[in-house]
Amino acid sequence: MTREAGVGRGLGSIAAIAYAGLMVETNAASDIAREGWIAGLPPFWRSVARLCRRDRPVGWRLLLIPCWQGLALGAAAGGALRWDLALWFALGAMAMRAAGCVVNDLADRDIDAKVARTADRPLASGALSTKQAAAVLAACLAFGLIVVLQLDRVSAAIAFAILPVVAIYPFMKRITWWPQVFLGVAFNIGAVIGWSAAFGGALAPAALLLYLGGVFRTRNYPPLYAHKGKEDDALVGVKSTARRFGDASRIWLVGFGLAAALCAVAVVDAAAQ
């Protein structure tokens, strides 16, 4: 082989690799955002950020809302207005949302690799190893622990009590048609923690109604997302209410929305007593 031929073959291989990388980066079916500040990070940290869903901040914001609602409602009902906890809750929501995503991707990495929408996720694509993901999870949980240590004993106990639900949620889609119920139970516990923190560990019916309303509300947005990939879910055997409800999804979603609204009315009445 001549030197020119060797160089040509080498350049051809590099071009092929670059083209393959470009095709991965432009996978139209992927649920990973390709633009924004994350795109400018070094490859390893970009993968870590995507693993933690830092490209989709809506997740941690939805996790934070119940915390702030519980804290504000508790203050309005006579509890302490804890601005310091409002900040800690924001930091905790980012950390625990990231932890939940890591657990989910560890559990689903084999399934994700078979679905176009999720095949580019860091674990499914091989951009990160399971050991690296475990290290990220440990860091997120450690920071979450720092946040919990700012709470009173009752509020901290509630936070610890919900962890098993967070851990089993990713596996529920293999067992039940209603995995989003477990998501709602875990996602909205901040409403109870926030109220409890405002009163130094005391609970009331208003806090539980706020929590229940959040569970109903949360029941609506996972099916909207799940409808985008229900064909892929059917192929790999993943269950969801989107598949279960089918054409009747709108009726169910309206029903859950009404239930959430009724809980909101009941919360106002209970908090005023």
Side-chain angles (χ1 to χ4, degrees), residues 79-251:
L81 182 56
R82 297 285 305 276
W83 290 106
D84 59 324
L85 285 184
L87 176 58
W88 279 113
F89 282 157
L91 297 174
M94 294 181 195
M96 295 312 296
R97 161 66 174 169
C101 291
V102 176
V103 171
N104 182 80
D105 285 8
L106 281 169
D108 289 351
R109 60 188 184 278
D110 293 333
I111 293 177
D112 287 344
K114 302 175 183 177
V115 178
R117 176 169 51 88
T118 57
D120 288 350
R121 290 181 178 179
L123 283 173
S125 65
L128 291 178
S129 67
T130 55
K131 289 184 178 180
Q132 289 171 326
V136 173
L137 176 60
C140 292
L141 293 177
F143 191 87
L145 177 61
I146 294 175
V147 175
V148 170
L149 292 177
Q150 313 307 310
L151 303 172
D152 59 87
R153 291 184 179 181
V154 173
S155 302
I158 296 171
F160 282 120
I162 204 64
L163 288 179
V165 180
V166 176
I168 67 173
Y169 161 66
F171 303 96
M172 290 299 101
K173 67 188 74 173
R174 299 169 173 80
I175 301 173
T176 175
W177 291 103
W178 297 79
Q180 291 86 359
V181 171
F182 293 85
L183 176 65
V185 168
F187 228 67
N188 292 280
I189 196 62
V192 180
I193 296 174
W195 175 285
S196 174
F199 282 96
L203 293 177
L208 300 179
L209 287 168
L210 181 64
Y211 178 46
L212 182 61
V215 173
F216 281 122
R217 184 180 65 248
T218 304
R219 281 288 306 107
N220 273 10
Y221 57 80
L224 295 175
Y225 175 77
H227 269 288
K228 297 179 181 180
K230 61 182 180 180
E231 291 80 10
D232 289 329
D233 289 344
L235 289 175
V236 297
V238 170
K239 298 180 179 180
S240 70
T241 48
R243 292 184 57 205
R244 184 67 170 178
F245 296 160
D247 294 336
S249 290
R250 291 184 179 180
I251 298 175

Side-chain angles (χ1 to χ4, degrees), residues 30-123:
S30 176
D31 63 357
I32 290 181
R34 301 300 178 186
E35 300 177 351
W37 64 273
I38 290 180
L41 294 175
F44 172 76
W45 292 109
R46 182 166 63 242
S47 296
V48 170
R50 286 173 173 170
L51 177 67
C52 296
R53 305 294 195 275
R54 295 300 297 139
D55 55 335
R56 280 171 279 178
V58 65
W60 69 261
R61 292 170 184 171
L62 289 172
L63 184 60
L64 174 60
I65 287 174
C67 301
W68 278 1
Q69 286 178 328
L71 197 61
L73 185 65
L81 182 56
R82 297 285 305 276
W83 290 106
D84 59 324
L85 285 184
L87 176 58
W88 279 113
F89 282 157
L91 297 174
M94 294 181 195
M96 295 312 296
R97 161 66 174 169
C101 291
V102 176
V103 171
N104 182 80
D105 285 8
L106 281 169
D108 289 351
R109 60 188 184 278
D110 293 333
I111 293 177
D112 287 344
K114 302 175 183 177
V115 178
R117 176 169 51 88
T118 57
D120 288 350
R121 290 181 178 179
L123 283 173

